[in-house]
Amino acid sequence: MNDTSSSSVDEGSFPRGRAQFPFVFAVEPITEMSWARVILVTLAGVVSHTFGRSTMPLLLPAIADDLGLNATTSGATGSVNMAAYLCGVIAVTYLANRLAPALLLKFGLWITMVGLVALGTAQTTWQVMAGTGLAGLGGAGVWLTMPVIATAGVPATQRGAVMGSLTATMGMASIVVPFATSGLRAVVNDDGAWREIWLIETVATAIILVVLYTVLRNDASPRLPLGAGIKAITRLQGWKTAVFFYMAFAFVAASWFQFFGLSLEHDHHLSREFTTHMWALMGAGGVFGAVMFGRLSDRLGRPRTMCLVTALGATTCLLVLVGDRWAAALAAAFYGISAMAVPPLTAAFVRDQVDERDFTAVFGAMTIFYGPASVAGPITGGVLADVTGSYQLTYVLLAVTFAFAALAAWRLPRVVNDR
């Protein structure tokens, strides 16, 4: 179960012979130039996840005040984003063998940018929902292809570090966005400003698109084989446990930061400026955690590291319940450290077992399971908050779910495919 050799993998799961993989060459250590390319590719994740997903919870208190949203509707913005993301996952999985990964990534960026324009010009709740839905739809095209492009030619011993860099870049962007938000609000003398932030992010997305069109101009990533749909998940050892883990994390991840600002402002009466800066602390934690746990997983193994980070995540839910400034700051930092490390660790766990050309099909199938849980999380948390009058029970539920995720991670097999 814990054998780290590639022989632990069912050999029938992988095609035999180099002749069947004419595009696979001898793996060389990552060079300085290839690391520069990796970092530039990670800018796509800034668009899909920092702009298209993480900015919504940051601005949600101001949006809720402006448009008169209750907790259920506020939660629904997250559910719409994740439902659209799920639709995108299904589409990308279907198109994986028809279009090159770089092309799918660019399509995802364009769709996300249209969503940002819609959010930046929104005057009604329905326009906000449409914008966040488009942002979620485009995000699937980015996240399911970015790891394939970034880890091309990377040896197994360095995949964790590379995957960690994907989330670390998002974390760095998440530090900038809250301070930019506070700065803009100070300039316009309005602590409820929110549309302008997305318009600025739209401009940044256009710049990133230009950069990536240049970087990926000669990208030779091959089209990926057509997956077996949701059945592709069965190519993983311990796939049932892996699916449970990812669904439990999805339920928490889609809800925790969706209600963080609302909880601090409404339940604990902390200022909007303080709450906004907590997102920067969360981003800083994400930079540290993604890189640290990525490297740790290269030594300790993905399952043990995934267990550690989700157990740490459970403690952050309890810190939110305390509600004072120090507890809120610790919750933000520890959540960034732990939760932002889980997606790249999970992707590395999948990549350890499947070959480069099978990654999108298998990880896409896994993400199909992720989708329903991530849709259910925010709406469930919002309903609980409206029924009870606070977000306390919501975070108790999230703590318990995080704990179950940690137990599931502990039971995952450690398997590494060196091809």
Side-chain angles (χ1 to χ4, degrees):
M1 177 72 70
N2 292 324
D3 185 2
T4 60
S5 68
S6 60
S7 62
S8 347
V9 181
D10 180 5
E11 304 213 356
S13 301
F14 302 103
R16 295 177 180 271
R18 185 174 296 276
Q20 298 187 47
F21 296 93
F23 52 85
V24 176
F25 302 98
V27 172
E28 298 293 339
I30 298 178
T31 64
E32 181 125 4
M33 179 62 71
S34 62
W35 264 114
R37 180 177 180 278
V38 166
I39 298 303
L40 291 174
V41 168
T42 64
L43 293 175
V46 171
V47 174
S48 65
H49 284 62
T50 305
F51 297 169
R53 185 178 299 174
S54 301
T55 300
M56 172 59 78
L58 168 68
L59 301 178
L60 194 52
I63 296 172
D65 287 348
D66 187 9
L67 301 180
L69 309 183
N70 60 18
T72 300
T73 305
S74 296
T77 62
S79 293
V80 167
N81 182 274
M82 296 310 303
Y85 181 78
L86 174 59
C87 292
V89 167
I90 296 171
V92 171
T93 302
Y94 174 77
L95 294 170
N97 75 324
R98 294 169 171 82
L99 299 174
L103 187 57
L104 287 171
L105 182 142
K106 292 170 188 174
F107 280 164
L109 290 173
W110 277 107
I111 294 171
T112 301
M113 187 164 70
V114 173
L116 295 177
V117 172
L119 288 166
T121 58
Q123 298 298 322
T124 68
T125 301
W126 288 109
Q127 286 174 287
V128 169
M129 295 295 185
T132 195
L134 285 169
L137 182 67
V142 174
W143 184 242
L144 291 185
T145 56
M146 186 170 61
V148 176
I149 297 170
T151 59
V154 175
T157 55
Q158 293 179 322
R159 285 179 197 146
V162 170
M163 295 302 294
S165 73
L166 303 185
T167 303
T169 304
M170 300 175 206
M172 293 179 68
S174 296
I175 298 172
V176 174
V177 172
F179 285 112
T181 300
S182 292
L184 176 67
R185 286 172 173 172
V187 169
V188 301
N189 195 28
D190 179 8
D191 69 353
W194 55 276
R195 295 177 184 87
E196 297 86 346
I197 305 302
W198 267 308
L199 292 177
I200 292 173
E201 290 183 346
T202 301
V203 173
T205 298
I207 295 172
I208 290 172
L209 263 171
V210 172
V211 170
L212 289 177
Y213 266 92
T214 301
V215 172
L216 301 178
R217 182 177 60 250
N218 298 317
D219 184 73
S221 299
R223 296 181 185 183
L224 303 170
L226 184 65
I230 204 167
K231 292 182 180 179
I233 194 66
T234 59
R235 299 174 194 174
L236 291 179
Q237 287 195 24
W239 69 268
K240 293 180 181 178
T241 304
V243 164
F244 178 85
F245 166 83
Y246 211 37
M247 290 185 73
F249 172 73
F251 187 91
V252 176
S255 310
W256 195 102
F257 72 169
Q258 186 74 11
F259 301 114
F260 183 58
L262 292 169
S263 175
L264 295 187
E265 287 192 28
H266 295 168
D267 288 353
H268 306 297
H269 309 293
L270 297 177
S271 72
R272 180 160 297 170
E273 182 179 14
F274 173 81
T275 299
T276 300
H277 291 162
M278 289 301 94
W279 295 92
L281 192 57
M282 197 184 305
V287 174
F288 177 73
V291 174
M292 178 184 71
F293 286 120
R295 291 186 179 276
L296 180 64
S297 74
D298 287 334
R299 295 170 175 79
L300 186 62
R302 318 297 180 209
R304 297 297 183 263
T305 309
M306 291 155 71
C307 175
L308 178 62
V309 297
T310 46
L312 178 61
T315 67
T316 68
C317 302
L318 303 180
L319 287 169
V320 173
L321 297 177
V322 175
D324 64 31
R325 294 169 67 93
W326 280 106
L330 288 174
F334 288 159
Y335 182 79
I337 288 171
S338 58
M340 290 187 188
V342 173
L345 285 173
T346 306
F349 172 79
V350 174
R351 181 64 183 85
D352 284 343
Q353 293 198 41
V354 302
D355 284 302
E356 195 172 277
R357 58 184 270 160
D358 291 324
F359 174 84
T360 294
V362 178
F363 194 50
M366 195 167 183
T367 308
I368 289 173
F369 286 99
Y370 183 101
S374 62
V375 171
I379 197 70
T380 300
V383 170
L384 283 176
D386 275 336
V387 169
T388 62
S390 79
Y391 295 92
Q392 300 288 306
L393 186 57
T394 296
Y395 278 93
V396 170
L397 175 63
L398 297 182
V400 172
T401 307
F402 242 147
F404 276 115
L407 290 174
W410 185 260
R411 295 175 58 85
L412 288 172
R414 181 180 179 183
V415 183
V416 176
N417 163 46
D418 288 322
R419 288 174 290 182

